[in-house]
């Protein structure tokens, strides 16, 4: 009897999670008004727009080059500075290194606050401090990079082997020096790989900062979309694609050097370091200077007063335009977009690597995924709004496509890093490729894929928080409008809500990740 009861309980437990997930998915889809039938009927609006971009207006390239340089400039300088500050401060956030608990808590709180906001919101805030231009954009990218890299690095340090660190401490070496010699060599390959990944991501972020006056190609892109000059939009997107291709190739080359999969001569290494240093210096010293002449001390006082004394009536409002409803809509958009992206990305990742398909096939899919990744997410929002109209469904479509691009890349990297021997052993035994993948590859990838999906969901929460800027639902539009209208109490309530909301999502994600 007990055995039967145990068996029934195990069956219930086995199906409870997927059934609950499906119920949650359909509830969220209903809440965001997902209507694939209407989208399919109006699909010609999407194809017409793509046709309008082809062929691009190549005569417009000369007007793109300077804003494109500003975009790269903000990305390079912001990534390097943010990464440097993260490298310096991250050991203070690691729980296993013995640094003062007060400093650790303060650092983690600061990181949590910064991670709650996308680069666009940080850039808009920076324009009130430093005026319009690339300095504000670079400041925002620096903060954005610093927050992400610091969290990833102190988590890696917390998980690292501390034997060498403890041995150095026993010899009387200071904590920080022991960290440099005992922990840093172990985590530095992953640290640099994360920095390269963020550099590519920051190019896309920098390309839309012009929407809030923080420089780069975003202002030009928004202008041409608004004027329906889609041949020029096609040219801008083509240049962004080529830029992403160059950065991706260069990042792969550097990543191979970091992992010691490729070696170069000392003379070549010096030239490479000289080139990287020159690129950083050129980008940094040609930044526009901050324009404090337009910075109003009274505005800054009102801003900080509003953040410290938020609009509690809006914060606790249960109405449709209240904070709770907008946050719920934001998380539903991010959830559905992430799930759809993950479902589509998993098979695409197998087609995107030479381990499972011929090289020409993987090259073709690699090119398609790179095209998807090179388009800024707000541009997808502006495109999809023509098909599905304003609302949360447009946000879902936008984040789904963005998730496909980035999840496929990360899934492919995971596939390239796995142990292929069990898969080849099953093939040698006559097992067909699909069953062989299910029994030998997927078990290895489950924890990695889960971690990647949770990270993407975390990113989508922040990106969904600004999709309202293009009418794609979520909490972004009220926040940006409140800031532009100097309604700081309402902006403070929304920011506080986002901080608490992202913190809650982080805790849930950590528990889910720990369970896998």
């Amino acid at each position: 009897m007990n055995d039967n009861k145990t068996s029934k309980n195990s069956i219930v437990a086995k199906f409870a999670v997927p059934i609950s997930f499906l119920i949650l998915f359909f509830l969220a889809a209903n809440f965001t008004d997902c209507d694939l039938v209407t989208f399919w009927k109006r699909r010609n609006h999407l194809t017409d727009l793509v046709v309008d971009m082809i062929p691009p207006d190549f005569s417009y390239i000369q007007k793109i080059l300077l804003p494109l340089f500003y975009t790269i400039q903000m990305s390079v300088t912001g990534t390097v500075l943010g990464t440097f500050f993260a490298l310096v401060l991250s050991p203070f956030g690691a729980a296993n290194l013995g640094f003062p608990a007060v400093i650790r808590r303060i650092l983690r709180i600061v990181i949590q606050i910064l991670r709650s906001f996308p680069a666009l919101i940080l850039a808009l805030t920076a324009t009130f401090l430093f005026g319009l231009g690339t300095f504000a954009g670079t400041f925002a990218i620096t903060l954005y990079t610093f927050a992400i890299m610091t969290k990833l690095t102190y988590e890696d340090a917390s998980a690292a082997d501390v034997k060498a660190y403890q041995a150095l401490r026993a010899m009387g070496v200071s904590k920080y020096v022991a960290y440099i010699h005992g922990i840093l060599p172990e985590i530095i390959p992953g640290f640099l790989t994360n920095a390269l990944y963020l550099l590519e991501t920051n190019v896309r972020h920098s390309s839309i900062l012009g929407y809030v006056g923080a420089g780069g190609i975003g202002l030009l892109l928004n202008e041409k979309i608004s004027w329906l000059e889609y041949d020029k939009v096609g040219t801008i997107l083509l240049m962004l694609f080529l830029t992403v291709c160059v950065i991706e190739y260069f990042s792969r080359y550097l990543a191979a050097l970091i992992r010691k999969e490729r070696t170069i001569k000392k003379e070549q290494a010096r030239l490479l370091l000289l080139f990287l240093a020159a690129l950083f210096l050129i980008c940094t010293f040609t930044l526009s200077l901050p324009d404090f002449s337009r910075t109003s001390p009274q505005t800054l006082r009102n801003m900080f007063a509003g953040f410290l004394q938020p609009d509690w009536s809006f914060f606790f409002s249960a109405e449709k335009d209240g904070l709770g409803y907008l946050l719920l809509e934001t998380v539903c958009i991010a959830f559905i977009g992430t799930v759809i992206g993950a479902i589509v990305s998993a098979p695409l990742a197998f087609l995107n690597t030479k381990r499972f398909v011929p090289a020409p096939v993987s090259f073709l899919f690699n090119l398609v995924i790179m095209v998807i990744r090179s388009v800024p997410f707000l541009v997808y929002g502006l495109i999809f709004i023509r098909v599905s109209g304003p609302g949360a469904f447009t946000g879902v479509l936008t984040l789904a496509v963005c998730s496909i691009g980035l999840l496929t890349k990360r899934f492919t990297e995971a596939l390239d890093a796995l142990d292929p021997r069990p898969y080849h052993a099953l093939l040698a035994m006559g097992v067909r490729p699909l069953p062989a993948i299910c029994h030998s590859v997927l078990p290895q990838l489950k924890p990695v894929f889960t971690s990647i999906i949770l990270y993407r969901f975390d990113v989508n929460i922040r990106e969904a928080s600004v999709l309202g800027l293009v009418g794609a639902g979520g909490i972004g539009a009220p926040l940006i409008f409140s800031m532009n209208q100097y309604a700081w109490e309402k902006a403070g309530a929304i920011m506080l809500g986002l901080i608490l909301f992202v913190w809650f999502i982080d805790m849930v994600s950590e528990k889910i990740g720990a369970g896998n």
Side-chain angles (χ1 to χ4, degrees), residues 16-167:
V17 173
I19 291 174
S20 300
F21 181 84
L22 285 174
I23 292 173
L24 190 62
F25 178 83
F26 284 111
L27 287 174
N30 182 66
F31 187 80
T32 51
D33 297 322
C34 292
D35 187 356
L36 295 177
V37 175
T38 302
F39 177 79
W40 182 253
K41 289 179 180 178
R42 294 171 57 87
R43 68 189 183 280
N44 60 302
H45 292 276
L46 184 61
T47 55
D48 290 345
L49 190 148
V50 174
V51 169
D52 290 341
M53 292 185 189
I54 302 172
D57 182 2
F58 292 107
S59 64
Y60 192 63
I61 288 179
Q62 57 183 351
K63 294 185 179 180
I64 298 173
L65 294 178
L66 186 59
L68 183 61
F69 169 73
Y70 290 150
T71 298
I72 297 171
Q73 178 186 47
M74 291 188 293
S75 307
V76 171
T77 302
T79 303
V80 172
L81 291 178
T83 300
F84 171 75
F85 291 129
L87 185 63
V88 172
L89 294 176
S90 57
F92 295 102
N96 60 338
L97 301 184
F99 287 99
V102 174
I103 297 177
R104 182 173 70 251
R105 292 192 188 100
I106 292 174
L107 178 63
R108 292 196 174 199
I109 289 171
V110 170
I111 295 304
Q112 185 62 49
I113 291 172
L114 292 176
R115 285 185 63 252
S116 301
F117 306 109
L120 192 69
I121 299 299
L122 294 174
L124 178 57
T125 306
T127 59
F128 290 103
L129 300 173
F130 306 111
L132 305 178
T134 54
F135 188 90
T138 304
F139 183 80
I141 294 296
T142 300
L143 288 181
Y144 180 82
T145 303
F146 168 72
I148 293 177
M149 287 298 296
T150 301
K151 185 175 190 295
L152 292 174
T153 307
Y154 70 59
E155 286 177 349
D156 288 345
S158 297
D161 186 354
V162 295
K163 292 179 182 177
Y165 173 82
Q166 291 172 341

Side-chain angles (χ1 to χ4, degrees), residues 268-429:
Q268 294 173 323
R270 291 194 191 99
L271 287 175
L272 179 60
L273 290 174
L274 184 62
F275 168 75
L276 294 174
L279 177 63
F280 170 70
L281 292 174
I282 290 170
C283 289
T284 302
F285 287 102
T286 55
L287 280 171
S288 64
L289 295 175
D291 183 9
F292 293 111
S293 64
R294 298 186 179 183
T295 303
S296 168
Q298 184 59 44
T299 299
L300 297 182
R301 282 194 292 269
N302 293 338
M303 179 192 299
F304 288 111
F307 293 160
L308 296 174
Q309 297 176 335
D311 182 352
W312 294 113
S313 62
F314 175 78
F315 187 90
F316 291 108
S317 174
E319 301 296 326
K320 194 171 183 179
D321 59 349
L323 180 65
Y325 182 92
L326 294 171
L327 285 175
L328 179 60
E329 185 177 58
T330 300
V331 73
C332 287
I333 292 171
F335 175 67
I336 298 295
T338 305
V339 171
I340 294 174
I343 291 172
V344 177
S345 298
L348 284 179
F350 285 92
L351 298 171
N352 199 41
T353 174
K354 291 182 285 187
R355 282 196 165 188
F356 296 95
V357 296
V361 175
S362 69
F363 175 79
L364 176 62
F365 278 94
N366 196 3
L367 195 64
V368 171
I369 297 304
M370 204 176 297
V371 170
I372 293 173
R373 289 205 330 270
S374 65
V375 179
F377 71 96
L378 279 184
V379 175
Y380 280 124
L382 290 168
I383 290 172
F384 282 124
I385 206 168
R386 289 189 51 170
V387 183
S388 53
F393 184 39
T394 295
V396 169
L397 294 171
T398 300
L399 292 186
V401 174
C402 293
S403 297
I404 289 170
L406 292 171
L407 285 176
T408 302
K409 174 181 168 61
R410 299 301 295 268
F411 286 174
T412 303
E413 291 171 352
L415 286 171
D416 289 336
L418 63 76
D419 183 1
R421 289 174 296 182
Y423 173 71
H424 291 302
L426 288 176
L427 291 181
M429 294 167 62

